[in-house]
Amino acid sequence: MSASPAPKSSPPTTSSPTPPQPRSPPSPPPPSLALPILLLLSTTVLLGTLYSLVHRTWHDTSSPLLTAAPVQIFFANRKNFVNQLFVKRAWGWTTAAALGVLLSLPAGRKRDARVLVVRWALSTVFWAGFTTWFFGPSFMERVLLLTGGQCVLPSTAAPPPSPLDTSPASPPLQTLTLLPPHHCRPDSLLPPEYSSYSSRPRFTGGHDVSGHTYLLIHASTFLLLALAPSLPLLFPTLHDAAPRWFPRRRSEDERTQADRVNPAPPRSMFLGPATGALHLLAVKAALALSALWWWMLLMTAVFFHNPLEKFTGVLVAYAAVAFTLMMG
């Protein structure tokens, strides 16, 4: 019996690899809102400064004797409660507002949270170096001393007329007692008789960079940039009215479609389950604080510092924002 021939084995079929699908290029990030924000705030300083020159409302903040002069206008008085409670602690209030926005961010916005934290840290470093400590005295104090500033103790001479009537020059130096610079620093330990605002040692002369101008511009810009991704939640028409600055996010659209199929309660990134109202409340509070900073910036431009000191304050604020954006 003859054996049947073995069937021929067919050659193995090789499946051709599926060509990879080309990935769509990532969408470029939206242009920064820093430039229009800085333009708005700089215009505010410019208009306030022009008003102060035309109506003679500004006075020399480096004159210690002017601190005792009676002032009738609320915002022209350094001791008004808005200045003492809010502006003097502006970076603390700004930090609190940013923290509220951060803690209430939706869970899908990790990148926004990371950017906010990094920018806050960089901004805090710049703020501390300019106003508090820069390898010793603050950068602002160093500029003041290098341009001829001195720490003095005001005499008990009668106060001059209200600075709102004219722009008086600095008092003669012989009416003041010279002190070492460290006596004029906020952390200096002073005798009880120097505890009042009008009798406290302070710097006079030199170039007094407007710290309020710098700080209010820096704080406002930081807050508004942190709020930018959340503003369409409060103003939905921003996506259509200004798509260049507020583009729709693909992840948000996908999340919206998924929520329609399987709705779930919104979650906060750090606080767990939370309603969207919590984030909206934090955004509204930060916007209100930004509006207050804008108003106090205008009041600073109208009533305090000479034009050059306000101009250098604007330049320092520009440097702060540039440092934050380039490093962060």
Side-chain angles (χ1 to χ4, degrees):
M1 190 173 178
S2 63
S4 60
K8 295 181 178 180
S9 61
S10 59
T13 59
T14 59
S15 59
S16 59
T18 305
Q21 297 295 327
R23 293 184 178 181
S24 57
S27 57
S32 175
L33 281 169
L35 187 59
I37 293 172
L38 289 174
L39 181 61
L40 169 65
L41 299 175
S42 303
T43 303
T44 300
V45 175
L46 176 62
L47 295 178
T49 301
L50 292 176
Y51 181 93
S52 71
L53 293 174
V54 172
H55 298 278
R56 292 175 168 265
T57 56
W58 72 274
H59 66 271
D60 187 0
T61 54
S62 67
S63 174
L65 295 182
L66 292 180
T67 58
V71 178
Q72 300 300 325
I73 301 177
F74 177 80
F75 286 107
N77 189 341
R78 285 184 172 188
K79 293 180 284 187
N80 73 77
F81 79 90
V82 180
N83 184 57
Q84 295 297 318
L85 179 61
F86 290 97
V87 182
K88 292 290 187 181
R89 299 168 175 82
W91 196 248
W93 286 105
T94 301
T95 298
L99 184 62
V101 173
L102 174 67
L103 293 179
S104 62
L105 275 175
R109 290 174 52 183
K110 294 181 179 179
R111 181 182 179 278
D112 292 338
R114 183 172 61 252
V115 169
L116 194 157
V117 171
V118 171
R119 287 181 178 176
W120 173 85
L122 292 171
S123 297
T124 301
V125 168
F126 192 100
W127 163 79
F130 182 72
T131 63
T132 307
W133 183 88
F134 187 72
F135 303 99
S138 67
F139 188 83
M140 183 167 55
E141 181 181 331
R142 292 178 184 273
V143 171
L144 190 64
L145 295 176
L146 286 174
T147 54
Q150 295 174 310
C151 179
V152 298
L153 180 67
S155 70
T156 56
S162 172
L164 297 181
D165 298 332
T166 182
S167 298
S170 298
L173 198 58
Q174 62 265 23
T175 64
L176 307 169
T177 303
L178 293 177
L179 296 174
H182 67 269
H183 285 292
C184 286
R185 293 170 190 160
D187 57 350
S188 177
L189 298 177
L190 300 173
E193 58 268 25
Y194 300 146
S195 59
S196 67
Y197 185 82
S198 59
S199 62
R200 189 184 311 160
R202 62 189 65 253
F203 287 110
T204 186
H207 182 75
D208 182 19
V209 179
S210 177
H212 277 36
T213 299
Y214 146 71
L215 181 56
L216 294 172
I217 292 179
H218 188 188
S220 299
T221 306
F222 166 76
L223 266 185
L224 291 174
L225 289 178
L227 293 177
S230 298
L231 289 181
L233 300 176
L234 197 59
F235 308 103
T237 57
L238 285 176
H239 281 317
D240 300 320
R244 184 167 181 259
W245 307 107
F246 303 98
R248 295 184 183 276
R249 298 184 177 185
R250 184 179 305 171
S251 59
E252 292 178 353
D253 295 338
E254 292 172 353
R255 254 195 326 270
T256 301
Q257 294 176 2
D259 290 343
R260 291 173 184 170
V261 178
N262 186 18
R267 294 179 60 86
S268 168
M269 189 180 307
F270 300 99
L271 302 180
T275 62
L278 182 63
H279 185 60
L280 290 180
L281 179 62
V283 171
K284 291 177 181 178
L287 274 179
L289 189 64
S290 300
L292 178 62
W293 291 165
W294 173 83
W295 175 253
M296 294 308 294
L297 176 65
L298 179 61
M299 294 299 99
T300 298
V302 169
F303 294 117
F304 300 102
H305 288 280
N306 64 46
L308 182 58
E309 292 169 346
K310 285 177 279 198
F311 175 70
T312 52
V314 172
L315 291 183
V316 173
Y318 272 53
V321 175
F323 169 78
T324 302
L325 295 182
M326 288 192 304
M327 299 296 293

